[in-house]
Amino acid sequence: MYRRLKGTKDILPDEIYQWQYIERTIRDHLERNNYQEIRTPVFEVTELFARGIGSDTDVVSKEMYTFTDKGDTSLTLRPELTAPVMRAYIQNNLGQINPVTKLYYIGTLFRQERPQKGRLRQFNQFGFEIIGSEHPEADAEVIQTVYAIYHNLGINDLKVRLNSIGSRSSRQHYLKILQMALEKHLGNFCASCQQRFEKNILRLFDCKVDSCQALLDHYAPSILDHLSNEDVQHFEEVQALLNAAYVPFEIDKKLVRGLDYYTRTTFEITSSLLGSQDAVCGGGRYDHLAEDLDGSPIPAVGVASGMERLLMILNEINAIPQKETKLIYTAVLGENARQVAFNLVSLLRSRGYQVDMDFMRRSLKAQMRDAGKKQAKWVIIIGTDEIQKDKIVLKNMASGEQKEVQLSLAADQIETIVK
RNA sequence: GUGGGUGUAGCUCAGGUGGUAGAGCAACAGGUUGUGGCCCUGUCGGUCGCGGGUUCAAGUCCCGUCACUCACCCCA
């Protein structure tokens, strides 16, 4: 038997409604905020991600599905969407049309990690980006908007964690100070922290070992104390705007993100209803990504949100409305009724009704049971008796009432009865 | 890549100290000669993840292996 690959999922019919529901809600909300959808290819040249995300990041160095095509070009299944969107923005000169471009996407991503709760190898994200504005309004809108989308879906107890990791120049400066401050205590950190110290020192703040966190609290200078004046002002304005929009947040000076392109604002929204992978979304500002991809410099902010994680929360709090069906089920009895029924079914369908009929030539009892199971609102019964009288029976499944309708007028009559 | 947990019917799971498998739900049929939900009855359905070993005998004990899952790591 063939099985689905590790870390992938089949989304079966009884679950698909949930996806359609959140996708619809997300699209509606983002369209209202005047974002436009963009769809980019699922694979790109590997270098796009190496340069965009950073070749030292875990995502690029060990989690990508990379292969070579017949032309010997190295290609990669996209592990995130910000770099592809920026690539599309640059390639199609979207900046020429408008100084500010607001884009959103809903798409599938691939990362070769060990699967666990809230983490798959093929997964889906929605996200959106504001490209062209360096101002704090853009940062605040991004955060306010995801927050509002979650709220709209019925999620309330979320934690918004906010930080600024400064512009590139002030961060370079800070990293040196951090390195000097921690060097002499390095021996007291755990093994993986010692590796992080060499590779990407900011990641030390992610460590879950208590003793490491205590050392950081004692000896690590805060990045917030080493921002430039412009960085500070930007950060403060973002906070003021969030307060103005009543978006609750907390400053987390240890919040660092795993992708190299971030500058200044970084944020993450977490939920206690998820497993140890508790971030529903993460994002921030990336003012140098365009340049890193050989485009002209353009500031941008954005966010990416995990769809599977979002669904996990919604199921946890039971916030997905029931799918409502308006099904009309057609029960057929006897040889000579079949064509009449088939004709009526296709007529009703062409008028926009959701109609189904029995394919098993079963007893009426079985067909009624089937109709009940499928949650049909109405059942049309067409049998030999009806054909003789030139009538059909229309039964309301909720009340149990049924009435006879002239066959030749059935389509019109049903319209007024079913409504 | 490293650890822990779990693998018995379509689904959820029972099966002390070894004696070749069971329940509930689901599916299907019947209880009405043409009428669903509730109830009753019956039917269908399993190489007990896979391979090997111990034994007269293994779902049960031992070894191996695979899969799923949670956690580390990292992130959405």
Side-chain angles (χ1 to χ4, degrees):
Chain A
M1 184 172 62
Y2 292 106
R3 304 179 50 84
R4 93 186 82 85
L5 260 21
K6 188 196 288 291
T8 64
K9 260 191 75 185
D10 296 315
I11 303 173
L12 301 176
D14 63 334
E15 200 193 335
I16 205 75
Y17 172 71
Q18 303 193 343
W19 284 86
Q20 294 169 346
Y21 165 72
I22 60 170
E23 285 169 13
R24 211 182 315 125
T25 309
I26 289 162
R27 278 211 169 76
D28 286 354
H29 197 108
L30 287 169
E31 298 279 347
R32 248 183 289 139
N33 288 26
N34 204 26
Y35 287 81
Q36 293 177 295
E37 182 170 1
I38 183 168
R39 300 188 192 186
T40 65
V42 284
F43 59 153
E44 299 268 1
V45 144
T46 303
E47 202 185 322
L48 173 69
F49 302 112
R51 291 184 58 187
I53 304 170
S55 44
D56 288 337
T57 60
D58 277 29
V59 169
V60 171
S61 64
K62 48 190 200 204
E63 296 171 4
M64 297 206 301
Y65 281 99
T66 296
F67 57 97
T68 45
D69 70 359
K70 287 180 181 168
D72 241 17
T73 309
S74 178
L75 306 179
T76 293
L77 260 30
R78 61 188 186 194
E80 60 101 56
L81 263 157
T82 299
V85 166
M86 186 52 93
R87 192 227 82 230
Y89 173 90
I90 295 167
Q91 181 175 353
N92 297 289
N93 290 310
L94 297 186
Q96 300 293 308
I97 302 169
N98 238 305
V100 176
T101 308
K102 294 170 50 164
L103 299 169
Y104 79 90
Y105 56 80
I106 298 180
T108 297
L109 310 183
F110 306 85
R111 261 128 80 169
Q112 192 163 182
E113 297 181 86
R114 194 70 166 254
Q116 69 183 78
K117 188 171 176 149
R119 194 171 74 184
L120 292 164
R121 290 184 167 182
Q122 178 178 165
F123 60 103
N124 295 278
Q125 288 186 345
F126 79 89
F128 48 98
E129 325 276 354
I130 301 178
I131 304 171
S133 170
E134 60 178 335
H135 298 296
E137 298 88 292
D139 306 55
E141 169 167 311
V142 167
I143 298 170
Q144 191 280 129
T145 302
V146 241
Y147 191 79
I149 288 173
Y150 296 148
H151 182 77
N152 235 243
L153 286 164
I155 310 173
N156 293 309
D157 49 350
L158 289 170
K159 199 194 260 184
V160 180
R161 298 159 67 214
L162 183 69
N163 192 20
S164 173
I165 59 169
S167 59
R168 274 194 182 167
S169 55
S170 46
R171 188 157 74 252
Q172 283 326 52
H173 182 62
Y174 165 72
L175 289 180
K176 280 191 197 122
I177 294 171
L178 181 64
Q179 200 175 348
M180 274 161 43
L182 296 183
E183 219 159 22
K184 25 189 171 332
H185 308 287
L186 195 56
N188 298 324
F189 280 93
C190 71
S192 55
C193 273
Q194 302 200 13
Q195 281 176 12
R196 283 186 270 236
F197 183 86
E198 300 300 334
K199 241 181 70 188
N200 187 345
I201 189 166
L202 270 187
R203 298 235 67 87
L204 277 161
F205 291 110
D206 275 344
C207 188
K208 284 175 185 164
V209 177
D210 287 343
S211 57
C212 291
Q213 285 299 333
L215 286 168
L216 290 170
D217 288 337
H218 274 289
Y219 301 112
S222 166
I223 189 155
L224 294 178
D225 298 328
H226 294 272
L227 298 177
S228 68
N229 291 337
E230 294 78 21
D231 290 343
V232 170
Q233 200 193 340
H234 182 95
F235 191 41
E236 281 174 356
E237 280 187 50
V238 171
Q239 294 175 53
L241 287 162
L242 288 175
N243 284 327
Y246 305 110
V247 177
F249 63 89
E250 54 191 65
I251 306 280
D252 181 352
K253 60 185 184 185
K254 289 179 182 169
L255 175 67
V256 291
R257 313 225 74 245
L259 314 179
D260 281 356
Y261 50 60
Y262 287 113
T263 51
R264 291 193 165 167
T265 309
T266 60
F267 68 93
E268 206 169 87
I269 299 183
T270 58
S271 164
S272 57
L273 298 169
L274 295 171
S276 95
Q277 308 299 317
D278 63 353
V280 229
C281 74
R285 177 163 281 284
Y286 47 97
D287 287 341
H288 301 288
L289 179 58
E291 297 158 61
D292 293 345
L293 299 179
D294 294 335
S296 11
I298 185 98
V301 237
V303 61
S305 173
M307 303 277 278
E308 285 81 0
R309 292 185 189 176
L310 181 54
L311 237 24
M312 278 165 68
I313 299 173
L314 291 174
N315 278 309
E316 202 67 45
I317 61 176
N318 235 307
I320 300 177
Q322 281 298 304
K323 180 177 186 171
E324 43 183 285
T325 160
K326 291 174 198 151
L327 180 67
I328 301 172
Y329 188 97
T330 308
V332 188
L333 277 160
E335 194 87 13
N336 54 352
R338 225 166 274 147
Q339 288 179 22
V340 178
F342 197 71
N343 172 272
L344 181 59
V345 164
S346 51
L347 181 59
L348 288 171
R349 284 175 176 162
S350 73
R351 295 200 181 188
Y353 292 98
Q354 185 185 27
V355 186
D356 203 359
M357 67 185 287
D358 172 69
F359 289 151
M360 296 295 286
R361 304 189 176 183
R362 291 184 275 196
S363 68
L364 182 58
K365 183 194 180 89
Q367 294 188 61
M368 290 305 296
R369 218 195 330 257
D370 193 31
K373 196 172 67 192
K374 291 185 162 81
Q375 303 188 344
K377 292 279 176 289
W378 298 85
V379 172
I380 292 170
I381 300 168
I382 303 180
T384 329
D385 297 357
E386 284 75 21
I387 300 287
Q388 259 173 19
K389 290 190 285 184
D390 200 38
K391 296 209 160 135
I392 62 162
V393 168
L394 186 59
K395 174 167 182 161
N396 180 323
M397 290 295 273
S399 65
E401 285 173 61
Q402 53 185 54
K403 53 182 81 174
E404 291 195 333
V405 178
Q406 189 75 31
L407 177 57
S408 52
L409 302 171
D412 296 319
Q413 300 256 328
I414 285 170
E415 216 147 321
T416 63
I417 298 170
V418 170
K419 218 24 193 127

